[in-house]
Amino acid sequence: MFDRHYSRLYNYAFKVLKETDLSEELVQETFIKLWENFENIKESERSITSFLITALKNKIIDDYRKKQTREKHTNLYTLNTSIETQIDQQWELTQRIEDIYTTLEQKTTDIFKLSRDKGLTYKEISKRKGVSVKTVELHISKALTAFKKGLKDYF
Amino acid sequence: MDHFKITETEIWEYISKTADDITIQKVEKWMGSTDYDEDLFNKITTIYKHTSREHPSVEQAKKRFFTTVKSKPKTTVWKEVLKYAAILIVIISGTYFYNSVSSNKNQIVVQTTYGEQKSIELSDGSKVWINASSSLTYNSETPRTLYLEGEAFFEVAKDSLNPFTVTTPNHITVKALGTSFNVKSYQDSPTTETKLLTGKVEVTSNIQFKERIILVPDEKVTFYKHTQEVVKSKMNHNESIIAWREGKIQFENISFREIAVDLEAQFGQQILFKNEDIATTKFTGSFDNTTPIDEIFEVLKISKDFTYQLNTKTNEWMIK
């Protein structure tokens, strides 16, 4: 269970917080909270997921509020943005991206991720996957089209 | 004028920094031309940004998580799955260790060098994690009677008939009936410390003190070698985390001289003090055990200035 949720929550926290240590810390605390409340949660995958994300969001807000008092004078911009809205939007976006990936063919996802996550060139991907560069480009193009469509509210 | 026909895949290559020089030139020319579609370029940049993924070390985080929850005694769920009855940390050090171990052909010695950690499973099912520069000795026929110099964490299999004991160089014995605990006993440290996280243990000594000290969770016993004093006290939260098992060197309000004992175990280099004022200064900090020693010195220097120098011939650090 830890494996399944950790990366996802960490990635989400990192996108909001942009700090590796803090993200790690808050996600750790979130799991500890889950641990402490395990009896009260119905053991369905869905309730665990929603518990984790709610707990994490609250932790981020708490942490933000603590900092806010400290940094009130230095960062006027973030003060004006509602943190609640911001973190909800980021979570929606995270889910949206996961959803887009699930609509793609597995092969398209694989190839796109090799490019995006591993930073491989089309040539390197074509070698690794045993397909032509043209095919790689086709899959990348498919993925881009899907993302353009799926993320249209975010541009 | 050139007319540019550019594909989205080329723009993606460019933005994701996987493009070759020809493509880079092509995209950059396109960007300077009248055919440049800024909206499309921005969209692909946004896709690139939003699809970024971090790759955190899940294994490390998991280890840390389980170390933390194991040290939280109140959770009833945990009690159900717990095959170990308690968690104890003992931090001990002394001088005449080898005298106390009689030679025997069944004797097993497990040693670690500086910066090394090992884990073993004893024949009774108990598990031991051994920290750097340590040595664990026992007779293969009596795996529940151990001698430790250095530091180790124990998860003791339950067996109420056979007590599990760890004896340290200065003849302090920690007895645990079905327990999970951590022992540290480096030679150079001025104190011997026993920390209990959960469960119940008894700390005795046949030489150093007469009392039988019973520890309840979140308590520790410190034995000061020079004054022969034994002090029992409550632990704070940070003290109850076994930092070394998470790959960390951690200390809270500890004198530089004591910190040096941990650093010596980790880096295998002696640390000598030319300045008593620095040696007794207390520091608080937490470092990954992969942090170079001079970097740790640099950080400590921020709160109290000192100089450090490595004598490469003797492999000793001189702190002034």
Side-chain angles (χ1 to χ4, degrees):
Chain A
M1 195 197 71
F2 193 93
D3 294 347
R4 204 160 51 239
H5 293 287
Y6 186 82
S7 282
R8 188 169 177 233
L9 291 178
Y10 177 87
N11 263 286
Y12 165 64
F14 184 76
K15 282 198 172 157
V16 178
L17 301 163
K18 316 254 185 304
E19 276 180 61
T20 53
D21 289 358
L22 183 61
S23 307
E24 215 183 294
E25 200 50 48
L26 295 187
V27 176
Q28 277 285 340
E29 286 173 15
T30 302
F31 275 101
I32 288 165
K33 195 159 182 193
L34 173 73
W35 183 270
E36 288 168 348
N37 290 281
F38 211 75
E39 293 146 271
N40 311 330
I41 305 164
K42 282 191 218 102
E43 266 193 64
S44 75
E45 191 59 40
R46 222 169 124 195
S47 58
I48 289 173
T49 309
S50 70
F51 179 93
L52 284 171
I53 184 61
T54 312
L56 180 58
K57 278 181 180 177
N58 287 337
K59 292 221 174 283
I60 294 172
I61 292 171
D62 282 355
D63 179 79
Y64 173 79
R65 290 214 174 109
K66 269 183 227 153
K67 272 196 196 130
Q68 203 184 30
T69 14
R70 247 177 282 151
E71 292 173 7
K72 216 184 282 183
H73 306 288
T74 53
N75 207 336
L76 280 168
Y77 170 71
T78 42
L79 193 68
N80 293 332
T81 331
S82 159
I83 177 78
E84 283 89 345
T85 330
Q86 198 187 318
I87 68 166
D88 284 344
Q89 277 171 355
Q90 183 60 55
W91 179 243
E92 270 166 35
L93 176 59
T94 303
Q95 284 180 309
R96 182 76 66 93
I97 284 166
E98 284 171 11
D99 289 347
I100 296 168
Y101 273 124
T102 60
T103 65
L104 297 175
E105 276 175 57
Q106 189 57 45
K107 204 165 186 184
T108 309
T109 304
D110 289 350
I111 286 173
F112 184 76
K113 284 190 170 172
L114 285 176
S115 163
R116 179 61 188 91
D117 296 349
K118 300 262 191 268
L120 299 184
T121 64
Y122 296 162
K123 214 186 210 164
E124 286 163 341
I125 298 171
S126 92
K127 259 189 210 151
R128 189 180 277 216
K129 285 279 167 190
V131 294
S132 69
V133 173
K134 269 269 160 288
T135 309
V136 173
E137 285 176 358
L138 185 78
H139 283 291
I140 296 283
S141 163
K142 267 194 198 168
L144 288 175
T145 307
F147 277 112
K148 270 198 306 184
K149 207 172 138 218
L151 296 178
K152 61 177 184 300
D153 310 335
Y154 292 90
F155 294 125
Chain B
M1 186 171 190
D2 292 338
H3 199 69
F4 289 96
K5 211 170 155 49
I6 205 127
T7 62
E8 288 179 9
T9 49
E10 283 165 332
I11 303 171
W12 175 258
E13 268 184 298
Y14 179 79
I15 292 169
S16 66
K17 299 183 186 70
T18 57
D20 57 20
D21 291 348
I22 297 164
T23 312
I24 292 172
Q25 274 176 19
K26 193 175 164 189
V27 173
E28 280 172 359
K29 262 190 189 162
W30 171 71
M31 288 169 76
S33 78
T34 49
D35 291 312
Y36 177 44
D37 182 348
E38 197 181 347
D39 183 52
L40 179 66
F41 188 85
N42 287 343
K43 275 183 184 169
I44 295 178
T45 309
T46 307
I47 292 171
Y48 181 77
K49 208 177 88 197
H50 289 332
T51 51
S52 74
R53 274 191 70 80
E54 294 293 306
H55 297 277
S57 162
V58 181
E59 278 314 306
Q60 220 176 322
K62 191 155 77 178
K63 227 170 107 186
R64 190 178 149 206
F65 169 70
F66 281 107
T67 313
T68 314
V69 295
K70 269 182 194 173
S71 66
K72 287 189 183 241
K74 279 164 216 117
T75 320
T76 49
V77 179
W78 177 239
K79 277 184 190 152
E80 284 163 24
V81 293
L82 185 69
K83 32 176 200 190
Y84 313 108
I87 298 175
L88 165 75
I89 309 175
V90 187
I91 300 168
I92 291 154
S93 77
T95 42
Y96 23 88
F97 170 56
Y98 286 107
N99 307 342
S100 61
V101 185
S102 57
S103 59
N104 185 304
K105 61 176 176 343
N106 293 327
Q107 183 174 296
I108 296 170
V109 182
V110 186
Q111 271 182 312
T112 55
T113 176
Y114 62 88
E116 185 191 27
Q117 292 181 3
K118 272 184 191 168
S119 73
I120 57 162
E121 189 164 338
L122 301 170
S123 56
D124 69 333
S126 300
K127 287 179 200 150
V128 188
W129 285 263
I130 305 165
N131 199 9
S133 305
S134 301
S135 153
L136 180 77
T137 309
Y138 62 100
N139 185 309
S140 62
E141 280 162 11
T142 53
R144 290 171 78 84
T145 305
L146 306 158
Y147 299 89
L148 176 82
E149 188 192 334
E151 178 170 24
F153 180 88
F154 299 83
E155 278 188 353
V156 184
K158 249 185 194 154
D159 180 352
S160 50
L161 295 177
N162 295 303
F164 192 99
T165 62
V166 178
T167 302
T168 65
N170 47 358
H171 299 273
I172 287 173
T173 298
V174 180
K175 181 162 109 181
L177 292 151
T179 302
S180 160
F181 64 105
N182 183 63
V183 180
K184 180 179 178 183
S185 65
Y186 290 113
Q187 301 267 6
D188 307 334
S189 173
T191 61
T192 285
E193 206 166 56
T194 304
K195 289 180 179 178
L196 179 69
L197 298 193
T198 69
K200 199 171 179 182
V201 293
E202 181 188 85
V203 183
T204 54
S205 172
N206 57 359
I207 295 178
Q208 312 288 11
F209 48 88
K210 287 194 199 97
E211 309 98 292
R212 279 169 183 275
I213 298 158
I214 305 282
L215 288 187
V216 299
D218 298 325
E219 282 186 339
K220 64 171 180 179
V221 163
T222 309
F223 173 66
Y224 295 88
K225 288 187 224 164
H226 296 298
T227 57
Q228 304 276 300
E229 257 183 302
V230 194
V231 180
K232 185 159 122 173
S233 61
K234 278 260 165 214
M235 278 192 274
N236 67 32
H237 173 70
N238 286 346
E239 280 183 293
S240 61
I241 294 165
I242 306 149
W244 66 270
R245 290 194 62 205
E246 298 164 23
K248 289 210 164 116
I249 302 168
Q250 200 168 297
F251 40 87
E252 192 173 311
N253 201 26
I254 301 290
S255 74
F256 202 170
R257 196 191 301 286
E258 284 173 83
I259 296 165
V261 176
D262 280 352
L263 297 179
E264 283 167 8
Q266 197 59 41
F267 298 100
Q269 291 169 329
Q270 290 285 310
I271 298 169
L272 303 175
F273 292 93
K274 268 268 170 86
N275 178 337
E276 195 55 25
D277 185 33
I278 300 292
T280 54
T281 301
K282 291 184 171 179
F283 293 93
T284 295
S286 177
F287 298 91
D288 279 343
N289 63 15
T290 50
T291 314
I293 191 165
D294 47 343
E295 233 169 78
I296 295 177
F297 289 152
E298 272 306 308
V299 174
L300 297 183
K301 259 179 76 170
I302 296 168
S303 53
K304 170 98 184 170
D305 197 34
F306 59 86
T307 61
Y308 55 89
Q309 203 178 1
L310 179 67
N311 182 336
T312 47
K313 277 194 194 118
T314 56
N315 209 21
E316 289 168 344
W317 288 96
M318 183 61 74
I319 310 283
K320 275 188 249 188

